[in-house]
Coordinates of all heavy atoms in Angstrom, one line a residue:
Chain A
A1207 N 13.2 -2.8 4.6 CA 14.1 -1.6 4.9 C 13.4 -0.3 4.5 O 13.6 0.7 5.1 CB 15.4 -1.8 4.3
L1208 N 12.7 -0.3 3.4 CA 12.3 0.9 2.8 C 10.9 1.3 3.1 O 10.5 2.5 3.0 CB 12.5 0.8 1.2 CG 14.0 0.7 0.8 CD1 14.1 0.6 -0.7 CD2 14.7 2.0 1.3
E1209 N 10.0 0.4 3.4 CA 8.7 0.8 3.7 C 8.1 -0.1 4.8 O 6.9 0.0 5.1 CB 7.8 0.7 2.5 CG 7.6 -0.6 1.9 CD 6.6 -0.7 0.7 OE1 5.5 -0.3 0.9 OE2 7.1 -1.0 -0.4
G1210 N 8.9 -0.9 5.4 CA 8.4 -1.8 6.5 C 7.8 -3.0 5.9 O 7.3 -3.1 4.8
A1211 N 7.8 -4.1 6.6 CA 7.3 -5.4 6.2 C 5.8 -5.3 6.0 O 5.1 -4.5 6.6 CB 7.6 -6.5 7.2
P1212 N 5.3 -6.1 5.1 CA 3.8 -6.1 4.8 C 3.0 -6.3 6.1 O 3.4 -7.2 6.9 CB 3.6 -7.2 3.8 CG 5.0 -7.5 3.2 CD 6.0 -7.1 4.3
T1213 N 1.9 -5.6 6.2 CA 1.1 -5.8 7.4 C -0.3 -6.3 7.1 O -0.9 -6.9 7.9 CB 1.0 -4.5 8.2 OG1 0.5 -3.5 7.4 CG2 2.4 -4.1 8.8
L1214 N -0.7 -5.9 5.9 CA -2.1 -6.2 5.5 C -3.2 -5.5 6.3 O -4.0 -4.8 5.8 CB -2.4 -7.7 5.5 CG -2.2 -8.4 4.1 CD1 -3.0 -9.7 4.1 CD2 -2.7 -7.5 3.0
A1215 N -3.1 -5.7 7.6 CA -4.0 -5.0 8.5 C -3.1 -4.2 9.5 O -2.0 -4.7 9.9 CB -5.0 -5.9 9.2
S1216 N -3.6 -3.1 10.0 CA -2.8 -2.3 10.9 C -2.6 -2.9 12.3 O -1.9 -2.4 13.1 CB -3.5 -0.9 11.1 OG -4.9 -1.1 11.2
C1217 N -3.3 -4.1 12.5 CA -3.2 -4.7 13.8 C -2.0 -5.6 13.9 O -1.4 -5.7 15.0 CB -4.5 -5.4 14.2 SG -4.9 -6.8 13.1
D1218 N -1.7 -6.3 12.9 CA -0.6 -7.2 13.0 C 0.7 -6.5 12.7 O 0.9 -6.0 11.6 CB -0.8 -8.5 12.1 CG -1.0 -8.2 10.7 OD1 -1.0 -7.0 10.3 OD2 -1.2 -9.2 10.0
T1219 N 1.5 -6.4 13.7 CA 2.7 -5.6 13.5 C 3.9 -6.4 13.1 O 5.0 -5.8 13.1 CB 3.0 -4.9 14.9 OG1 2.9 -5.9 15.9 CG2 2.0 -3.8 15.1
A1220 N 3.8 -7.7 12.8 CA 4.8 -8.5 12.3 C 5.9 -8.7 13.3 O 6.8 -9.5 13.1 CB 5.4 -7.9 11.0
D1221 N 5.9 -8.0 14.4 CA 6.8 -8.2 15.5 C 6.1 -8.4 16.8 O 6.6 -8.2 17.8 CB 7.9 -7.1 15.6 CG 7.2 -5.8 15.7 OD1 6.0 -5.7 15.4 OD2 7.9 -4.8 16.1
G1222 N 4.8 -8.8 16.7 CA 4.0 -9.1 17.8 C 3.9 -8.0 18.8 O 4.2 -8.1 20.0
N1223 N 3.4 -6.8 18.4 CA 3.2 -5.7 19.3 C 1.7 -5.4 19.5 O 0.9 -6.0 18.8 CB 4.0 -4.5 18.8 CG 5.3 -4.4 19.6 OD1 5.6 -5.2 20.4 ND2 6.1 -3.4 19.2
A1224 N 1.5 -4.4 20.2 CA 0.1 -4.0 20.5 C -0.4 -3.1 19.3 O 0.4 -2.5 18.6 CB 0.0 -3.2 21.8
S1225 N -1.6 -3.2 19.0 CA -2.2 -2.4 18.0 C -3.2 -1.5 18.7 O -3.6 -1.6 19.8 CB -2.9 -3.3 16.9 OG -4.2 -3.5 17.3
D1226 N -3.7 -0.5 17.9 CA -4.6 0.4 18.5 C -6.0 0.3 17.7 O -6.7 1.3 17.8 CB -4.0 1.9 18.4 CG -3.6 2.2 16.9 OD1 -3.6 1.2 16.1 OD2 -3.4 3.3 16.6
C1227 N -6.2 -0.8 17.2 CA -7.5 -0.9 16.5 C -8.6 -1.2 17.4 O -8.6 -2.2 18.2 CB -7.4 -2.0 15.4 SG -8.9 -2.3 14.5
E1228 N -9.7 -0.5 17.3 CA -10.8 -0.6 18.2 C -11.6 -1.9 17.9 O -12.2 -2.5 18.8 CB -11.8 0.6 18.0 CG -11.1 1.9 18.1 CD -11.5 2.6 19.4 OE1 -12.5 2.3 20.0 OE2 -10.7 3.5 19.8
V1229 N -11.5 -2.4 16.7 CA -12.2 -3.6 16.4 C -11.6 -4.9 16.9 O -12.3 -5.8 17.0 CB -12.3 -3.6 14.8 CG1 -13.3 -4.8 14.4 CG2 -12.8 -2.3 14.2
E1230 N -10.4 -4.8 17.2 CA -9.6 -6.0 17.5 C -10.3 -7.0 18.4 O -10.3 -8.2 18.1 CB -8.2 -5.6 18.0 CG -7.3 -6.8 18.1 CD -5.8 -6.4 18.5 OE1 -5.5 -5.2 18.2 OE2 -5.1 -7.2 19.0
P1231 N -10.8 -6.5 19.5 CA -11.5 -7.5 20.4 C -12.5 -8.4 19.8 O -12.7 -9.5 20.2 CB -12.0 -6.6 21.5 CG -11.3 -5.3 21.5 CD -10.9 -5.2 20.0
V1232 N -13.2 -7.9 18.8 CA -14.3 -8.6 18.2 C -14.1 -8.9 16.7 O -15.0 -9.2 16.0 CB -15.7 -7.9 18.3 CG1 -16.1 -7.8 19.8 CG2 -15.5 -6.5 17.8
C1233 N -12.8 -8.7 16.3 CA -12.5 -8.8 14.9 C -12.5 -10.2 14.4 O -11.8 -11.1 14.9 CB -11.2 -8.1 14.5 SG -10.8 -8.2 12.8
P1234 N -13.4 -10.6 13.4 CA -13.4 -11.9 13.0 C -12.5 -12.3 11.8 O -12.4 -13.4 11.4 CB -14.8 -12.0 12.4 CG -15.2 -10.6 12.0 CD -14.3 -9.7 12.7
I1235 N -11.7 -11.3 11.3 CA -10.9 -11.6 10.2 C -9.4 -11.5 10.5 O -8.6 -11.7 9.6 CB -11.2 -10.6 9.1 CG1 -10.9 -9.2 9.5 CG2 -12.6 -10.7 8.6 CD1 -10.9 -8.1 8.4
R1236 N -9.1 -11.2 11.7 CA -7.7 -11.0 12.1 C -6.8 -12.2 11.8 O -5.8 -12.1 11.0 CB -7.6 -10.7 13.6 CG -6.6 -9.5 13.8 CD -6.3 -9.3 15.2 NE -4.9 -9.0 15.4 CZ -4.2 -9.1 16.5 NH1 -4.9 -9.5 17.6 NH2 -3.0 -8.8 16.5
S1237 N -7.1 -13.3 12.3 CA -6.2 -14.4 12.2 C -6.1 -14.9 10.7 O -5.0 -15.2 10.3 CB -6.7 -15.5 13.1 OG -6.7 -16.8 12.5
P1238 N -7.2 -15.0 10.0 CA -7.1 -15.4 8.6 C -6.2 -14.4 7.8 O -5.4 -14.8 6.9 CB -8.5 -15.4 8.1 CG -9.4 -15.5 9.3 CD -8.6 -14.9 10.4
L1239 N -6.3 -13.1 8.1 CA -5.5 -12.1 7.4 C -4.0 -12.3 7.6 O -3.2 -12.2 6.8 CB -5.9 -10.7 7.8 CG -7.1 -10.1 7.0 CD1 -7.3 -8.7 7.3 CD2 -7.1 -10.4 5.6
Q1240 N -3.8 -12.7 8.9 CA -2.3 -12.9 9.2 C -1.8 -14.1 8.4 O -0.6 -14.0 8.1 CB -2.2 -13.2 10.7 CG -2.6 -12.0 11.6 CD -1.7 -11.8 12.8 OE1 -0.8 -12.6 13.0 NE2 -2.1 -10.9 13.7
R1241 N -2.6 -15.1 8.2 CA -2.1 -16.2 7.4 C -1.7 -15.7 6.0 O -0.7 -16.1 5.5 CB -3.1 -17.3 7.4 CG -2.5 -18.6 6.8 CD -3.4 -19.8 6.9 NE -4.1 -19.8 8.1 CZ -5.4 -19.9 8.2 NH1 -6.2 -19.8 7.1 NH2 -6.0 -19.9 9.4
I1242 N -2.6 -14.9 5.4 CA -2.3 -14.4 4.1 C -1.0 -13.5 4.1 O -0.2 -13.7 3.2 CB -3.5 -13.6 3.5 CG1 -4.7 -14.5 3.3 CG2 -3.1 -12.9 2.2 CD1 -5.9 -13.8 2.8
R1243 N -0.9 -12.7 5.1 CA 0.2 -11.9 5.2 C 1.5 -12.7 5.3 O 2.5 -12.4 4.6 CB 0.2 -11.0 6.4 CG 1.5 -10.2 6.6 CD 1.4 -9.4 7.9 NE 1.3 -10.2 9.1 CZ 2.3 -10.9 9.7 NH1 3.5 -10.9 9.1 NH2 2.1 -11.6 10.8
K1244 N 1.4 -13.8 6.1 CA 2.6 -14.6 6.2 C 3.0 -15.2 4.8 O 4.2 -15.3 4.5 CB 2.3 -15.8 7.1 CG 2.7 -15.5 8.6 CD 2.6 -16.8 9.4 CE 3.0 -16.5 10.9 NZ 2.9 -17.7 11.7
G1245 N 2.0 -15.6 4.0 CA 2.3 -16.1 2.7 C 3.0 -15.1 1.8 O 3.9 -15.4 1.1
I1246 N 2.5 -13.9 1.9 CA 3.1 -12.8 1.1 C 4.6 -12.6 1.5 O 5.5 -12.5 0.7 CB 2.3 -11.5 1.3 CG1 0.9 -11.6 0.7 CG2 3.0 -10.3 0.7 CD1 0.0 -10.4 0.8
W1247 N 4.7 -12.5 2.8 CA 6.1 -12.3 3.4 C 7.0 -13.4 3.0 O 8.1 -13.2 2.5 CB 6.0 -12.3 4.9 CG 7.3 -12.1 5.6 CD1 7.9 -12.9 6.4 CD2 8.2 -10.9 5.5 NE1 9.1 -12.4 6.8 CE2 9.3 -11.2 6.3 CE3 8.1 -9.7 4.7 CZ2 10.3 -10.3 6.4 CZ3 9.1 -8.8 4.8 CH2 10.2 -9.1 5.7
L1248 N 6.5 -14.7 3.0 CA 7.3 -15.8 2.6 C 7.7 -15.7 1.2 O 8.9 -16.0 0.8 CB 6.5 -17.1 2.8 CG 7.2 -18.4 2.9 CD1 8.3 -18.4 3.9 CD2 6.3 -19.6 3.1
Q1249 N 6.8 -15.3 0.4 CA 7.1 -15.1 -1.0 C 8.2 -14.1 -1.3 O 9.1 -14.3 -2.1 CB 5.8 -14.8 -1.8 CG 6.0 -14.9 -3.3 CD 4.6 -15.0 -3.9 OE1 3.6 -14.9 -3.2 NE2 4.6 -15.3 -5.2
M1250 N 8.2 -13.0 -0.5 CA 9.2 -12.0 -0.7 C 10.5 -12.5 -0.1 O 11.6 -12.1 -0.6 CB 8.8 -10.7 0.1 CG 7.6 -10.0 -0.6 SD 7.2 -8.5 0.2 CE 6.1 -7.7 -0.9
Q1251 N 10.4 -13.3 0.9 CA 11.7 -13.8 1.5 C 12.4 -14.8 0.6 O 13.6 -15.0 0.8 CB 11.4 -14.3 2.9 CG 11.2 -13.3 3.9 CD 12.5 -12.4 4.1 OE1 12.7 -11.4 3.4 NE2 13.4 -12.8 5.1
R1252 N 11.6 -15.6 -0.2 CA 12.2 -16.6 -0.9 C 12.6 -16.1 -2.3 O 13.1 -16.8 -3.1 CB 11.3 -17.8 -1.0 CG 10.2 -17.7 -1.9 CD 9.7 -19.1 -2.3 NE 8.7 -18.9 -3.3 CZ 7.4 -19.0 -3.2 NH1 6.9 -19.2 -2.0 NH2 6.5 -18.8 -4.1
T1253 N 12.4 -14.8 -2.6 CA 12.9 -14.2 -3.8 C 14.1 -13.4 -3.5 O 14.0 -12.3 -2.9 CB 11.8 -13.3 -4.4 OG1 10.6 -14.0 -4.6 CG2 12.2 -12.8 -5.8
S1254 N 15.2 -13.9 -4.0 CA 16.5 -13.2 -3.7 C 16.8 -12.1 -4.8 O 16.2 -12.1 -5.9 CB 17.6 -14.2 -3.7 OG 17.9 -14.6 -5.0
L1255 N 17.7 -11.2 -4.4 CA 18.1 -10.2 -5.3 C 18.7 -10.9 -6.6 O 18.6 -10.4 -7.7 CB 19.1 -9.3 -4.7 CG 19.6 -8.1 -5.4 CD1 18.5 -7.3 -6.0 CD2 20.5 -7.3 -4.5
R1256 N 19.4 -12.0 -6.4 CA 19.9 -12.7 -7.5 C 18.9 -13.2 -8.4 O 19.0 -13.1 -9.7 CB 20.7 -14.0 -7.0 CG 21.1 -15.0 -8.0 CD 22.1 -14.4 -9.0 NE 23.4 -14.1 -8.4 CZ 24.3 -13.3 -8.9 NH1 24.1 -12.8 -10.1 NH2 25.4 -13.1 -8.3
A1257 N 17.8 -13.6 -7.9 CA 16.6 -14.0 -8.7 C 16.1 -12.8 -9.5 O 15.5 -13.0 -10.6 CB 15.5 -14.7 -7.9
L1258 N 16.2 -11.7 -8.9 CA 15.7 -10.5 -9.6 C 16.5 -10.2 -10.9 O 16.0 -9.8 -11.9 CB 15.7 -9.3 -8.7 CG 14.6 -9.1 -7.7 CD1 14.5 -7.7 -7.2 CD2 13.2 -9.4 -8.3
V1259 N 17.8 -10.3 -10.8 CA 18.7 -9.9 -11.8 C 18.8 -11.0 -12.9 O 18.9 -10.7 -14.1 CB 20.1 -9.5 -11.3 CG1 20.7 -10.7 -10.6 CG2 21.0 -9.0 -12.4
T1260 N 18.6 -12.2 -12.5 CA 18.6 -13.3 -13.5 C 17.3 -14.1 -13.3 O 17.2 -15.0 -12.5 CB 19.8 -14.3 -13.3 OG1 19.9 -14.6 -11.9 CG2 21.1 -13.8 -13.8
P1261 N 16.3 -13.6 -14.0 CA 14.9 -14.2 -13.8 C 14.8 -15.6 -14.3 O 14.4 -15.8 -15.4 CB 14.0 -13.2 -14.6 CG 14.9 -12.5 -15.5 CD 16.3 -12.7 -15.1
S1262 N 15.1 -16.6 -13.5 CA 14.9 -17.9 -13.8 C 13.5 -18.3 -13.4 O 13.2 -18.3 -12.2 CB 15.9 -18.9 -13.1 OG 15.8 -18.7 -11.7
P1263 N 12.7 -18.6 -14.4 CA 11.2 -18.8 -14.2 C 10.9 -19.8 -13.1 O 10.0 -19.6 -12.3 CB 10.7 -19.3 -15.5 CG 11.7 -18.8 -16.5 CD 13.1 -18.8 -15.8
Q1264 N 11.6 -20.8 -13.0 CA 11.3 -21.9 -12.0 C 11.8 -21.6 -10.6 O 11.3 -22.1 -9.7 CB 11.8 -23.3 -12.5 CG 13.3 -23.4 -12.4 CD 14.0 -22.9 -13.7 OE1 13.5 -22.0 -14.3 NE2 15.1 -23.6 -14.1
A1265 N 12.8 -20.7 -10.6 CA 13.4 -20.4 -9.3 C 12.4 -19.9 -8.2 O 12.5 -20.2 -7.1 CB 14.6 -19.5 -9.4
A1266 N 11.5 -19.0 -8.7 CA 10.6 -18.4 -7.8 C 9.2 -19.1 -7.7 O 8.4 -18.7 -6.9 CB 10.3 -17.0 -8.3
D1267 N 9.1 -20.3 -8.3 CA 7.9 -21.0 -8.2 C 8.0 -22.3 -7.4 O 7.3 -23.2 -7.6 CB 7.4 -21.4 -9.6 CG 6.9 -20.1 -10.4 OD1 6.7 -19.1 -9.7 OD2 6.6 -20.2 -11.6
L1268 N 9.0 -22.3 -6.5 CA 9.1 -23.4 -5.6 C 7.8 -23.5 -4.8 O 7.2 -22.5 -4.5 CB 10.3 -23.2 -4.7 CG 11.7 -23.2 -5.4 CD1 12.8 -22.9 -4.5 CD2 11.9 -24.6 -6.0
P1269 N 7.6 -24.7 -4.3 CA 6.4 -24.9 -3.4 C 6.6 -24.1 -2.1 O 7.7 -23.8 -1.7 CB 6.4 -26.4 -3.1 CG 7.8 -26.9 -3.5 CD 8.2 -26.0 -4.6
L1270 N 5.5 -23.7 -1.5 CA 5.5 -22.9 -0.4 C 6.4 -23.4 0.8 O 6.9 -22.7 1.6 CB 4.1 -22.6 0.1 CG 3.4 -21.4 -0.6 CD1 2.0 -21.3 -0.1 CD2 4.1 -20.1 -0.3
T1271 N 6.4 -24.8 0.8 CA 7.0 -25.4 2.0 C 8.5 -25.3 1.9 O 9.2 -25.5 2.9 CB 6.6 -26.8 2.1 OG1 6.6 -27.4 0.8 CG2 5.2 -26.9 2.6
A1272 N 9.1 -25.2 0.7 CA 10.5 -25.2 0.5 C 11.2 -23.9 0.9 O 10.5 -22.9 1.0 CB 10.9 -25.5 -0.9
R1273 N 12.4 -24.0 1.3 CA 13.2 -22.8 1.5 C 12.6 -21.9 2.6 O 12.7 -20.7 2.4 CB 13.4 -22.0 0.2 CG 14.4 -22.7 -0.7 CD 15.2 -21.6 -1.4 NE 15.9 -20.7 -0.5 CZ 15.8 -19.4 -0.5 NH1 15.0 -18.8 -1.4 NH2 16.4 -18.7 0.4
N1274 N 12.1 -22.4 3.6 CA 11.6 -21.5 4.7 C 12.8 -21.0 5.4 O 13.3 -21.5 6.4 CB 10.7 -22.2 5.6 CG 11.2 -23.6 6.0 OD1 12.1 -24.1 5.4 ND2 10.6 -24.1 7.1

Side-chain angles (χ1 to χ4, degrees):
Chain A
L1208 293 177
E1209 63 177 297
T1213 55
L1214 262 202
S1216 43
C1217 61
D1218 55 3
T1219 45
D1221 53 344
N1223 260 0
S1225 86
D1226 55 348
C1227 177
E1228 309 254 333
V1229 189
E1230 189 170 339
V1232 291
C1233 181
I1235 62 169
R1236 223 191 139 198
S1237 132
L1239 279 191
Q1240 294 217 6
R1241 193 176 315 124
I1242 294 181
R1243 175 184 61 75
K1244 271 192 180 179
I1246 294 177
W1247 180 243
L1248 196 57
Q1249 192 159 6
M1250 287 183 172
Q1251 280 299 87
R1252 73 159 190 259
T1253 305
S1254 72
L1255 185 53
R1256 168 65 67 196
L1258 280 195
V1259 60
T1260 46
S1262 62
Q1264 70 275 31
D1267 286 349
L1268 292 173
L1270 274 175
T1271 46
R1273 286 216 56 235
N1274 44 346

